[in-house]
Amino acid sequence: MSEPILVTGATGGVGRTICRSLHHRYQVLALGRDDSRLRELRDACPGIVTYCTDLQRADDLVTLIKRIGKDYPYIPYVVNNAGLNVKAEITSLDIESLEHSVRINAIAPFLIMKALIPAMQAHDFGRIVNITSGAPLNCFAGYAAYSASKAMLNALTVTAANENAEFDIKINLMSPGPVRSAMAPAAPMEPEVCLPTLDYLLGLDRGGPSGRFFWLGHELPLFPDLESVDWLQGTAGTAFPRIHE
């Protein structure tokens, strides 16, 4: 029997593409909020198991993950793909939209990791790919909610990777690139361009990277080089000029 892989946002352009690509090699457990599109996915990819849920409802998600766990007590592969992009400048961004973005883009992946990592630790194996964006690195005007929520996802991912360094559990970030989806209908690339990078991350061996950021076959730095910074002593090297004495 194929090993299970949980994929969120399964009815969107990237999520649907991921599910269709993986269902020949894994037992895909597909989460989405559009039941009709989930039915279409099942028809196109026999064997996929679908779950209709709204990821912004934390209690419902926790309940669903527990229910899935009764049939699949150990899910070694996860792709947290679901995302929300609210466009608004800081002065017009309402708190509800910001909170909604954080719930979908960061809290839902957190709850899924929190629920599934213990079994990965028990089996000493797991591969988690959290779908992020270049947005928190670029911070384009008008996308504060998206950039901030993806930055939170980035921090949660790197922290989880550090916490599981003693296990064969690889937790990485992947930006699919400028691909067409409901969030970006005018983007220049088809979602399929992200699949080779995803396959690489799911297939990592024990010595592979964890807590890193990947984009279209490239590894990109998440952080500046802070080797000369001693946070506890309050000192920094010459690469960081002083602004006052």
Side-chain angles (χ1 to χ4, degrees):
M1 181 178 177
S2 300
E3 293 184 292
I5 181 169
L6 186 144
V7 180
T8 67
T11 56
V14 174
R16 183 173 62 249
T17 298
I18 288 172
C19 290
R20 291 171 72 101
S21 172
L22 298 180
H23 91 281
H24 296 293
R25 293 172 284 152
Y26 300 88
Q27 173 59 71
V28 175
L29 313 176
L31 276 62
R33 63 175 181 169
D34 188 324
D35 195 44
S36 63
R37 289 188 178 182
L38 288 173
R39 286 196 299 270
E40 293 173 2
L41 183 62
R42 289 197 303 271
D43 291 341
C45 304
I48 283 183
V49 180
T50 62
Y51 303 88
C52 189
T53 187
D54 186 347
L55 294 181
Q56 72 167 318
R57 301 180 181 276
D59 291 343
D60 291 351
L61 177 58
V62 170
T63 299
L64 175 62
I65 295 300
K66 289 180 179 178
R67 177 161 64 88
I68 294 173
K70 293 179 180 179
D71 295 323
Y72 304 93
Y74 169 46
I75 301 174
Y77 299 94
V78 175
V79 181
N80 281 309
N81 165 74
L84 175 70
N85 186 2
V86 175
K87 185 177 180 181
E89 294 188 357
I90 290 287
T91 52
S92 59
L93 178 64
D94 59 79
I95 192 169
E96 289 79 15
S97 294
L98 178 60
E99 290 176 343
H100 190 189
S101 299
V102 170
R103 284 195 293 270
I104 297 294
N105 295 340
I107 292 178
F110 156 73
L111 291 172
I112 290 170
M113 289 193 295
K114 179 180 174 68
L116 300 187
I117 284 176
M120 294 180 182
Q121 292 174 337
H123 289 79
D124 192 29
F125 184 87
R127 298 293 181 266
I128 300 175
V129 180
N130 290 330
I131 303 300
T132 187
S133 167
L137 306 181
N138 300 315
C139 296
F140 290 127
Y143 293 93
Y146 187 65
S147 297
S149 57
K150 287 296 188 179
M152 182 175 176
L153 174 64
N154 290 359
L156 289 167
T157 300
V158 175
T159 303
N162 290 338
E163 291 174 350
N164 288 276
E166 65 183 282
F167 299 99
D168 186 11
I169 299 174
K170 306 301 178 184
I171 307 173
N172 286 294
L173 294 154
M174 186 188 86
S175 172
V179 298
R180 276 187 288 279
S181 67
M183 289 196 302
M189 297 182 178
E190 296 292 341
E192 285 78 5
V193 299
C194 74
L195 295 177
T197 305
L198 178 64
D199 288 342
Y200 164 77
L201 294 173
L202 293 175
L204 287 172
D205 60 27
R206 191 179 191 99
S210 191
R212 315 273 267 278
F213 180 101
F214 297 87
W215 170 80
L216 296 177
H218 302 275
E219 182 182 342
L220 303 182
L222 271 174
F223 309 107
D225 183 356
L226 301 176
E227 185 176 356
S228 67
V229 175
D230 188 326
W231 296 101
L232 296 179
Q233 297 299 319
T235 61
T238 56
F240 304 95
R242 291 188 61 85
I243 60 171
H244 62 77
E245 295 300 328

